[in-house]
Amino acid sequence: MTQRVVTLAHYYTQPEIQQMADKVGDSLELSLFAREAEADIIVFAGVRFMAETAKILNPNATVILPDAGSTCSLVTQTDVAALKTWRESYPDHVHVSYINSSAEHKALSDWIVTSRNVDDIIAHLYEQGKKVIFSPDRNMGAYLNYQYGYDMPLWSAVCEVHDKFNEAALNEALGAVNGEAYLIAHPESPLPVLKRADYVGSTSGMLNWVKQFSGNPEAVIFVATEDGILYNMGLARPDLDLRQAPIYAGCQCNSCPYMKMNTIEAVKRAQQGIGLKIDYLTPAQMDAARLPIERMLDFSQRYYA
Ligand code: 13P
Ligand code: SF4
């Protein structure tokens, strides 16, 4: 019997990979798609925590990551034993973790969030009078504390890609524009950059902002996120002047080395069953990590249906 192969790709993968995929999306969309996919093999052209999430949500499928090296700095900067000690020092807090985390990390969490639903889920918890700790992304947590006046204790890891965006390079780029300029940014960026942004949101959120842009068509729109998304934005709005925010003068070159390990050859091999099989998580580990993920997916389906 032929195997049903479904290929998922994140917006940060190169255009050719996105063209090969059955579904392209942000972390939330890809998780939902993986859960529902009727597939024998799910090829996940993204990074390892995404492939692990797909396996946790669809344990009967074989999930393959094209390149075993596709990690994420938010995962590698988080020592799970230290995280456990930190979590235990706040026994009366709810632990909210960003989806960019290992399965072990998820199992130590009460809720998982993505950049798409983090604002709404944390607001929901505060409305219920809960106290919250947030991990692992320090920049995202600092932004939420600033934006909504929370006082969440934060774990301290960063996305090595978004953390490179900085105010000095941004000011220089904005200063060089004669007319109107906008900035949209992913919440993994540092707080001074996010404070300047006209819109802060997930990859899909930024893409939708661009699609719906009805301001001055001559304006320059700077995008503070990984360069892969510029492909989708350009397809959606070829009429706009979209530029990646610089990390230093003259550089529109900020890309995620882990996402870019998804080469065409590696994805084709994965479609033949060759790559990193996510088969190392025990049923108990998957059950423990699934609980906070399902809580998020249920919330998202209720609120965004
Ligand atoms: P999104 O969920 O916004 O697609 O973000 C994933 C990611 O890894 C951003 O660096
Ligand atoms: Fe991780 Fe940053 Fe790469 Fe996203 S862009 S996968 S957060 S290292």
Side-chain angles (χ1 to χ4, degrees), residues 129-162:
K130 302 270 195 319
K131 290 193 278 184
V132 179
I133 55 171
F134 185 75
S135 69
D137 192 327
R138 180 182 77 211
N139 286 337
M140 188 178 288
Y143 172 70
L144 292 161
N145 279 344
Y146 162 79
Q147 184 71 7
Y148 302 108
Y150 302 147
D151 56 355
M152 295 185 294
L154 307 176
W155 185 256
S156 189
V158 293
C159 160
E160 66 180 52
V161 180
H162 288 84

Side-chain angles (χ1 to χ4, degrees), residues 73-101:
S73 65
L74 286 164
V75 175
T76 54
Q77 290 175 14
T78 301
D79 176 81
V80 177
L83 181 86
K84 187 167 185 288
T85 306
W86 178 74
R87 197 276 165 269
E88 284 167 359
S89 66
Y90 295 99
D92 57 346
H93 284 60
V94 175
H95 182 200
V96 176
S97 298
Y98 188 34
I99 197 164
N100 296 34
S101 50

Side-chain angles (χ1 to χ4, degrees), residues 250-266:
C251 156
Q252 276 155 15
C253 53
N254 198 7
S255 82
C256 175
Y258 314 115
M259 287 283 182
K260 298 304 194 254
M261 286 176 178
N262 292 287
T263 59
I264 296 170
E265 298 69 32

